Amino acid sequence: MPIATVNPANGETLKTYEAMGDEEIERRLRLAAATFRTYRTSAFAERARLMHRAADLLDEDQRDIGRIMTTEMGKPVKQARAEAAKCARSMRWYADHAQELLADEEPAAADVKDSGASRALVRYRPLGPVLAVMPWNFPLWQVIRFAAPALMAGNVGLLKHASNVPQTALYLEDLFHRAGFPEGAFQTLLIGSGAVGEILRDERVKAATLTGSEPAGRAVASVAGDMVKKTVLELGGSDPYVVMPSADIDRAAKIAVTARVQNNGQSCIAAKRFIVHTDVFDAFAERFVAGMKALTVGDPLAEDTEVGPLASEQGRNDLEELVDDAVRSGATVLCGGRRPDGPGWYYPPTVLGDITRKMRIHREETFGPVATLYRVADLEEAVLVANNTPFGLSSNVWTRDEGEVDRFVRDLEAGGVFFNGMTASHPAFPFGGVKRSGYGRELSGHGIREFCNITTVWHGA
């Protein structure tokens, strides 16, 4: 795949970039290792000062970088600006909390005595250069939720971004440079996916994090496993959105529309499978389909656009194949379902009913504004359908019954359960999944400690 900005609203190639050669990659790896040797000893206060400065610059750049993101991957420009604002807030959160999250921990006095020590503690130390392989769908946020904690912990970052968002990738390197971080603390590698394995095998690279497809995750995990290097993987999701009889149906249907089409439906944590109790199925379906039909699809740079184009022609083709396969197998199209004429990689908001297990769309992730509706008889069937997927990223449940809340928390196979609202990420809460959605956690104290050497310090009596 060429490293290029191709406007998904019209298919026009705007900028192309040459991939970095071996000499430039070696120079950057050498710089990362050298920078880490001194940056790792910097004080939390200094790292926080630099991170706050980067956040301030990002706020100042919000309109410009928002437009760049929209031009590169098609998200509505309002959502792009909101993404930039969220990144700045999260950078400040880590700047303000990293020191306490990584403070030395003292075991219980009785355990210290029992171990024969005079004193003992646990200290969190940085690992070194971390390779981040990141996707195009949230081209700022996916990177910042790695970079902010990693840099605050004293690591340095090497970014291999998706090849269709090179301007955003270069902006990120420039942002940290302008903020005053040492040269080499955060570098963008303009490389293709074929170069990732060799870089990860380099002894100077100590760990890797990847957000992306399951095949990409398998490839990185395989190399990292061979080299015995730490990885964090956030892969696909086919998140359930369960609606029970006690729910506020009007609100559940309204939020369901946003939960499905956020980021043009191209989000791992977007709700994709809508599992509705039979007692409220018809009322929910009527409101949900009406909401999907009412969405404004158009130029992503227009302020009133709610759904823009998909990021790539291949992405649209893949989504269309899933829908067509479902229809051939008996699914009912409740709205949408046909690609529009004209330029750009648009696909309409679509709702499908009468889904069966034999359909590919039941098993595979739909990365676009396509929702599937399931009717279930009770809580047990809702859980069964929700868990009948290889993925386990997040989940949404609408109920006012506390007994049902306890059951869903106990039984849903997911990294998060969000009640009476839609899944969202926040720096204070851990983010990640189970099953084929990956392993490890980003954000919160769990995320910042993923790339730390958790060191036991023991002093004899």
Side-chain angles (χ1 to χ4, degrees):
M1 182 178 182
I3 301 173
T5 297
V6 181
N7 187 343
N10 55 27
E12 180 184 355
T13 299
L14 302 178
K15 286 190 176 184
T16 58
Y17 297 82
E18 290 292 327
M20 292 176 177
D22 292 343
E23 289 186 7
E24 179 62 10
I25 293 171
E26 169 60 25
R27 185 187 74 80
R28 287 175 176 257
L29 289 172
R30 193 164 55 243
L31 177 59
T35 301
F36 173 69
R37 285 194 290 271
T38 54
Y39 181 68
R40 67 184 181 86
T41 65
S42 60
F44 278 108
E46 174 61 9
R47 297 175 203 165
R49 183 186 69 81
L50 296 173
M51 191 63 68
H52 271 289
R53 177 57 180 152
D56 292 343
L57 290 170
L58 181 53
D59 277 338
E60 294 172 10
D61 297 341
Q62 186 183 118
R63 296 193 70 85
D64 290 340
I65 187 57
R67 189 176 183 87
I68 288 172
M69 285 191 285
T70 293
T71 302
E72 290 201 306
M73 55 71 58
K75 72 173 70 218
V77 71
K78 279 187 177 180
Q79 294 181 28
R81 293 197 297 265
E83 180 177 337
K86 178 178 183 176
C87 289
R89 291 193 301 271
S90 298
M91 293 160 77
R92 294 187 180 99
W93 190 90
Y94 269 108
D96 294 340
H97 291 86
Q99 186 167 6
E100 64 182 272
L101 294 172
L102 298 179
D104 290 348
E105 298 176 4
E106 296 187 4
D111 291 330
V112 174
K113 182 180 179 180
D114 187 61
S115 76
S118 61
R119 58 193 175 99
L121 58 87
V122 176
R123 177 163 293 173
Y124 296 95
R125 297 186 292 156
L127 288 180
V130 180
L131 175 64
V133 182
M134 293 289 119
W136 47 262
N137 57 333
F138 291 95
L140 270 188
W141 173 237
Q142 304 279 16
V143 178
I144 291 299
R145 73 185 192 193
F146 147 75
L151 289 170
M152 285 304 303
N155 296 298
V156 300
L158 294 162
L159 170 64
K160 187 280 182 230
H161 218 325
S163 294
N164 61 329
V165 290
Q167 293 185 67
T168 306
L170 292 170
Y171 168 83
L172 283 157
E173 178 180 271
D174 183 62
L175 174 68
F176 289 112
H177 175 75
R178 286 186 289 138
F181 280 88
E183 186 183 8
F186 187 92
Q187 300 180 82
T188 287
L189 306 177
L190 287 183
I191 56 174
S193 59
V196 170
E198 186 174 351
I199 292 171
L200 186 52
R201 289 184 182 278
D202 193 289
E203 291 293 344
R204 290 165 292 191
V205 176
K206 302 303 182 184
T209 180
L210 177 142
T211 299
S213 69
E214 187 181 337
R218 289 179 184 275
V220 166
S222 177
V223 174
D226 187 50
M227 299 301 295
V228 197
K229 293 184 180 181
K230 177 69 178 290
T231 53
V232 170
L233 302 181
E234 193 264 276
L235 308 178
S238 189
D239 291 4
Y241 190 101
V242 180
V243 182
M244 298 299 287
S246 64
D248 179 337
I249 300 302
D250 286 335
R251 181 161 173 75
K254 181 179 180 181
I255 298 298
V257 173
T258 303
R260 176 62 285 228
V261 302
Q262 59 174 319
N263 208 50
N264 301 339
Q266 299 167 123
S267 171
C268 295
I269 58 170
K272 300 181 176 77
R273 296 176 299 129
F274 295 81
I275 302 163
V276 187
H277 193 284
T278 187
D279 290 354
V280 292
F281 181 90
D282 291 338
F284 176 87
E286 178 183 3
R287 290 162 174 76
F288 180 50
V289 171
M292 293 284 278
K293 286 181 177 179
L295 290 165
T296 300
V297 180
D299 179 1
L301 289 172
E303 293 292 329
D304 62 344
T305 291
E306 296 169 293
V307 179
L310 300 189
S312 69
E313 186 174 20
Q314 185 61 53
R316 183 175 69 172
N317 291 343
D318 292 343
L319 185 67
E320 190 173 39
E321 286 178 11
L322 287 178
V323 173
D324 290 349
D325 171 79
V327 172
R328 286 193 301 268
S329 300
T332 302
V333 179
L334 301 176
C335 69
R338 282 182 170 273
R339 75 158 71 180
D341 295 328
W345 299 315
Y346 290 89
Y347 199 84
T350 297
V351 181
L352 301 179
D354 299 312
I355 304 300
T356 65
R357 292 188 180 190
K358 67 181 180 180
M359 299 172 185
R360 288 178 56 204
I361 205 166
H362 175 75
R363 305 184 303 272
E364 300 178 28
E365 181 180 20
T366 51
F367 223 56
V370 174
T372 52
L373 267 175
Y374 296 78
R375 183 193 295 265
V376 294
D378 51 29
L379 184 147
E380 284 72 21
E381 188 179 5
V383 170
L384 183 66
V385 174
N387 289 341
N388 188 24
T389 172
F391 302 108
L393 191 53
S394 190
S395 58
N396 309 260
V397 178
W398 287 75
T399 180
R400 293 168 175 163
D401 184 316
E402 287 302 316
E404 291 180 349
V405 167
D406 291 342
R407 284 288 308 278
F408 281 113
V409 172
R410 186 191 75 180
D411 293 341
L412 285 178
E413 299 168 351
V417 187
F418 286 71
F419 288 97
N420 302 318
M422 59 182 274
T423 299
S425 53
H426 185 282
F429 306 129
F431 181 88
V434 294
K435 301 197 292 190
R436 293 188 186 177
S437 287
Y439 52 74
R441 291 296 181 264
E442 298 177 290
L443 303 177
S444 78
H446 296 278
I448 197 172
R449 297 183 194 115
E450 286 281 9
F451 296 116
C452 287
N453 175 358
I454 304 172
T455 309
T456 297
V457 182
W458 188 93
H459 297 268

